[in-house]
Amino acid sequence: MQTSAQVPYADTVVTAFIAAAMAWALFGMTAGVYLAAELVWPALNADLPWLTFGRLRTVHTTAVIFGFGGSALMATAFYSVQRTSHCTLFAPGVAWFVFIGWQLGLITGVFTLFAGINSGKEYAELEWPLDIAVAAVWIAYGVVFFGTIARRRNKHIYVSNWFYGALIIVVAMLHIVNSLALPASMAKSYSLFAGSQDAVVQWWYGHNAVGFFLTGGFLGMLYYFLPKQAGRPIWSYRLSIIAFWAFVYSYIWAGPHHLHYNAIPDWVQNLGMVMSLILLAPSWATMVNGVMTMSGAWRKLGADPALKFIVLSLVFYGLATFEGPMLAIKSVNAVSHFTEWTIGHVHSGALGWNALVTFGALYFLVPRLVGRNLYSARLANLHFVLAIAGILLYTLAMWGAGVTQGLLWLSLDAAGEVKYTFAEVMRAIAPYYSLRLLAGLIFLAGAALMAWNLWRTVQGAATLTVFPPAPAATSAATPGAATVTPESKPAAATATA
Amino acid sequence: MSAAFPITLAPRILFRPREVFARIASNQPSAGAVFFQYALWLGLAPPVSAFVGARMFGWLAGAEPLTVSSALMLQVSIAYYILLLCGFVFAGLFLRWMLPTYSDSDGVAGAGDSDSGSDNTVTNKTANTTGACFALVAAAGTPLMAGGVAHLYPSLAFNMAVFIPAFLWSVFLFYRGVPVALNTGAERGMLLTCSMVGALLVMVAGFLGIITLLWVNGFGPPLGI
């Protein structure tokens, strides 16, 4: 009879998800660069409906958030839950169903978005048949993940699994509730909610898609891969747990900050604002925890380009989680709302936090999956420089554009009328659009280098077969796991897997 | 013995920065010398240029110029100057505060990094680490402050075109300067610089938030809020 110790980790599905993540990254970021180019040269849409900004934007957001981000989350969740549980995935066949379903669903979804089929809900544009398919795949994801935890051989559930678990449960709730609709045809439905209610539900979903998909899940990635790469436990495990609960409690209320000065009750707006400000605390606690985890492991930065990405991602995580609450203040939001400032904030988070932590995790993971060294550390370091340059240029350009827009839109003439026309404002921010295009090209070049580097690393190799440690060794520490007490900083810092 | 840090160093910082970083490491300027001999003077460039430019041209944001009264512009310029000096002091103190985290002990880097974090190998103890931190911030911030003369032509687009490269230049100087001036070693220096860049970005974002709050509450051009 085969014991769980004799069954290897199910890592081929992890490799598949990583390949998909990189493919979506290149596709989605190219779409983003094309969009930036269209804002500089509108004729680039060639008068083709499917290439217009309105449709291409939804393709871009779907591809980068759910294609790149989602595939990376699934890859790293499946990888890390096995290692922290010291057992193989529960139902590996279902894990492959998740992979195929997720990729097919998104590819189909992208085609529908190109075709102009759009529910009108931001980050939830796919229509109802795909919503149902996504829900089915997502529930399967949860079954595999929680099933693996249920059969774990470590008593303790490591903190990264809490973040991934929160991602799965909360996103399921958000997606299902926000997608509730009355179908009118295969390609059209009407939201169950109407008017202001629909707006509040949409942004409860929208902000928590950011909160749990783009933040919570990636914090799970951080809490596993940072201590793993640094070879040190989390600086304060107690802080990580406190921050987790504070984070999941605060984030869920923050949605109304997307609807300041709109037709929703004042108290709802104010509640969203206050909880957004409170959210700063657990976010920065995590950032400090991450930076301090590096303490004493500096030498690894020279030898490990992947670690540089993760450390820098913490810096931008700090920026994004400071700027977010600040933008949630109603007075600030009165100037920033609908401007490029919000776009700058989104991208400092998406590129600076999500993309960088993913890049770091994948630079670490891919060589280990195939048992080889990274093809070129030099290329990875070059990628690092391109990534910082692209992100800084993007953020600064959008700050300039956003402040300009906000000021000009709100300026009044002597008669108390709006002073500047829409066209005048667009002319004013045109230079910033060119800077954004340049920034996007730089960042995309870095991502392309990474794809090449990873491709050369895996070329001709197969995913290694790795077995969980034998049951007698299950007390050996995974990063900050079974041997961690809330106050301890265990000396055994490297995982057995 | 603390050394001077005069404003005349500014051109050398721009064109021969390595010499200045080595000088900071060896000569140990005091925080006071850096503030009174360098920062106080270089910090004048942006607000004075902004005042002159705004009075001569008005603020150009792609449409017709926004004009404000001399009195208001003077208040804005003085507030700008104070904000820059506060930012400089804050950045220097923040760097000083963070430095031990990235060193073996207070302000000192070990010759060989240790994973245990408790290696006390001392190679070059910096006697005036606070001064060195302030000097490094002043040196790295020089392109940004010098770029402030772009305010003489107060078009936002022109200023962004000058400030973004100036900012990147400052970030580059910081990356280059930290390992030399603060003797942290390459890896720690890189990490310390990343953290400082993050802190500075947070400061800039906070600055944007503060001025937005001021505008909305009536300090600035009239807004329809």
Side-chain angles (χ1 to χ4, degrees):
Chain A
M1 182 179 74
Q2 229 180 18
T3 66
S4 59
Q6 296 171 305
V7 178
Y9 289 131
D11 283 342
T12 47
V13 69
V14 173
T15 309
F17 268 117
I18 291 174
M22 288 311 300
W24 282 113
L26 292 179
F27 173 72
M29 290 176 192
T30 303
V33 167
Y34 201 89
L35 283 166
E38 281 186 334
L39 287 173
V40 179
W41 302 293
L44 278 176
N45 66 25
D47 283 333
L48 297 168
W50 59 273
L51 211 50
T52 52
F53 188 92
R55 293 192 190 181
L56 193 59
R57 185 204 172 238
T58 58
V59 168
H60 165 65
T61 57
T62 300
V64 293
I65 296 172
F66 301 112
F68 169 56
S71 298
L73 286 171
M74 289 169 177
T76 53
F78 285 162
Y79 180 87
S80 63
V81 74
Q82 295 182 90
R83 265 77 181 169
T84 51
S85 303
H86 284 182
C87 64
T88 191
L89 280 181
F90 174 78
V94 179
W96 278 106
F97 165 75
V98 174
F99 171 77
I100 294 167
W102 192 250
Q103 306 311 322
L104 272 182
L106 285 176
I107 292 169
T108 309
V110 161
F111 275 108
T112 63
L113 293 173
F114 273 128
I117 298 170
N118 189 321
S119 70
K121 279 176 166 280
E122 195 160 359
Y123 314 129
E125 292 91 353
L126 302 184
E127 266 294 352
W128 66 274
L130 287 165
D131 283 340
I132 293 173
V134 161
V137 170
W138 195 261
I139 289 169
Y141 176 33
V143 165
V144 175
F145 183 82
F146 288 111
T148 308
I149 290 187
R151 68 210 294 250
R152 69 192 185 282
R153 287 192 273 127
N154 288 328
K155 184 166 179 266
H156 181 78
I157 301 175
Y158 181 59
V159 66
S160 66
N161 292 327
W162 285 90
F163 277 97
Y164 282 119
L167 154 77
I168 292 169
I169 292 170
V170 176
V171 166
M173 171 182 69
L174 295 167
H175 170 70
I176 290 169
V177 173
N178 188 47
S179 302
L180 291 173
L182 297 170
S185 70
M186 283 302 288
K188 178 71 187 161
S189 63
Y190 294 92
S191 173
L192 206 64
F193 313 100
S196 297
Q197 274 190 331
D198 188 41
V200 173
V201 170
Q202 157 59 29
W203 286 108
W204 168 75
Y205 163 85
H207 197 79
N208 290 300
V210 171
F212 287 86
F213 199 98
L214 291 182
T215 307
F218 287 85
L219 287 175
M221 204 187 285
L222 176 83
Y223 275 117
Y224 180 82
F225 286 97
L226 174 60
K228 200 83 166 83
Q229 287 175 252
R232 301 186 62 74
I234 293 290
W235 177 66
S236 169
Y237 199 68
R238 166 173 282 192
L239 184 61
S240 72
I241 295 172
I242 293 171
F244 169 77
W245 288 109
F247 166 89
V248 302
Y249 180 73
S250 316
Y251 231 120
I252 208 78
W253 301 89
H257 71 222
H258 291 263
L259 294 164
H260 282 331
Y261 300 113
N262 265 293
I264 66 170
D266 257 348
W267 71 265
V268 176
Q269 297 177 39
N270 294 337
L271 181 62
M273 176 177 77
V274 167
M275 298 308 286
S276 302
L277 287 164
I278 288 172
L279 192 50
L280 181 57
S283 304
W284 274 36
T286 300
M287 175 188 67
V288 168
N289 214 352
V291 172
M292 296 306 289
T293 297
M294 280 301 301
S295 177
W298 315 122
R299 181 171 41 190
K300 292 193 161 66
L301 276 172
D304 182 359
L307 203 48
K308 284 197 193 61
F309 279 93
I310 293 199
V311 167
L312 190 64
S313 78
L314 284 168
V315 169
F316 281 101
Y317 179 67
L319 170 63
T321 53
F322 171 80
E323 193 181 28
M326 190 184 74
L327 291 173
I329 298 171
K330 286 171 87 172
S331 303
V332 178
N333 198 266
V335 176
S336 73
H337 198 188
F338 303 116
T339 71
E340 303 287 352
W341 191 349
T342 306
I343 312 303
H345 165 64
V346 165
H347 284 82
S348 68
L351 303 183
W353 159 236
N354 297 118
L356 289 190
V357 73
T358 304
F359 292 158
L362 297 191
Y363 273 126
F364 169 84
L365 199 45
V366 169
R368 273 158 187 76
L369 283 170
V370 296
R372 289 179 172 179
N373 291 328
L374 185 66
Y375 171 71
S376 169
R378 199 168 144 266
L379 278 182
N381 286 319
L382 177 57
H383 178 194
F384 180 76
V385 172
L386 291 173
I388 302 180
I391 296 165
L392 284 177
L393 187 58
Y394 195 111
T395 306
L396 292 172
M398 290 301 98
W399 279 351
V403 169
T404 304
Q405 276 177 300
L407 258 191
L408 294 186
W409 279 344
L410 294 168
S411 290
L412 302 177
D413 61 18
E417 304 278 345
V418 170
K419 196 169 181 186
Y420 300 107
T421 66
F422 178 75
E424 284 171 331
V425 176
M426 291 305 291
R427 262 199 300 278
I429 62 175
Y432 303 111
Y433 284 176
S434 299
L435 288 174
R436 173 185 22 212
L437 173 59
L438 178 61
L441 282 166
I442 292 171
F443 195 84
L444 177 61
L449 277 181
M450 178 182 180
W452 167 251
N453 205 350
L454 295 184
W455 166 249
R456 292 288 297 182
T457 302
V458 304
Q459 213 171 10
T463 307
L464 291 183
T465 301
V466 179
F467 290 88
T474 54
S475 60
T478 51
T483 59
V484 170
T485 61
E487 295 301 320
S488 73
K489 294 177 189 175
T494 52
T496 55
Chain B
M1 187 175 78
S2 296
F5 201 81
I7 188 64
T8 49
L9 280 174
R12 212 183 300 179
I13 288 169
L14 291 176
F15 301 109
R16 292 210 295 264
R18 272 183 229 176
E19 286 179 19
V20 178
F21 297 143
R23 176 190 168 122
I24 293 171
S26 61
N27 287 9
Q28 299 302 305
S30 69
V34 176
F35 184 83
F36 288 106
Q37 296 174 11
Y38 195 90
L40 215 57
W41 304 106
L42 190 65
L44 282 172
V48 167
S49 304
F51 180 82
V52 171
R55 291 306 302 144
M56 284 176 62
F57 301 106
W59 268 94
L60 305 161
E64 59 187 79
L66 293 169
T67 53
V68 292
S69 67
S70 285
L72 181 59
M73 197 57 217
L74 187 61
Q75 288 176 37
V76 168
S77 296
I78 291 172
Y80 188 11
Y81 182 53
I82 293 172
L83 204 63
L84 286 175
L85 291 178
C86 290
F88 164 74
V89 171
F90 176 80
L93 291 174
F94 198 78
L95 179 59
R96 178 66 186 93
W97 177 65
M98 283 205 298
L99 189 57
T101 303
Y102 301 89
S103 307
D104 288 323
S105 57
D106 189 23
V108 177
D113 290 347
S114 162
D115 285 352
S116 72
S118 61
D119 180 9
N120 283 315
T121 307
V122 173
T123 53
N124 182 16
K125 188 169 174 59
T126 51
N128 194 349
T129 311
T130 304
C133 291
F134 275 94
L136 181 59
V137 170
T142 298
L144 270 176
M145 293 299 108
V149 297
H151 290 342
L152 284 171
Y153 184 62
S155 152
L156 210 54
F158 173 71
N159 275 261
M160 290 299 285
V162 169
F163 270 102
I164 288 176
F167 179 80
L168 294 174
W169 190 357
S170 285
V171 170
F172 170 74
L173 284 179
F174 215 88
Y175 272 105
R176 279 296 177 97
V178 160
V180 177
L182 301 181
N183 196 27
T184 61
E187 291 94 4
R188 296 177 195 222
M190 198 281 296
L191 193 54
L192 177 56
T193 309
C194 283
S195 302
M196 273 303 292
V197 168
L200 291 171
L201 284 174
V202 167
M203 271 172 53
V204 172
F207 172 68
L208 286 178
I210 289 170
I211 61 172
T212 307
L213 282 168
L214 290 173
W215 282 336
V216 168
N217 286 284
F219 295 94
L223 298 179
I225 295 180

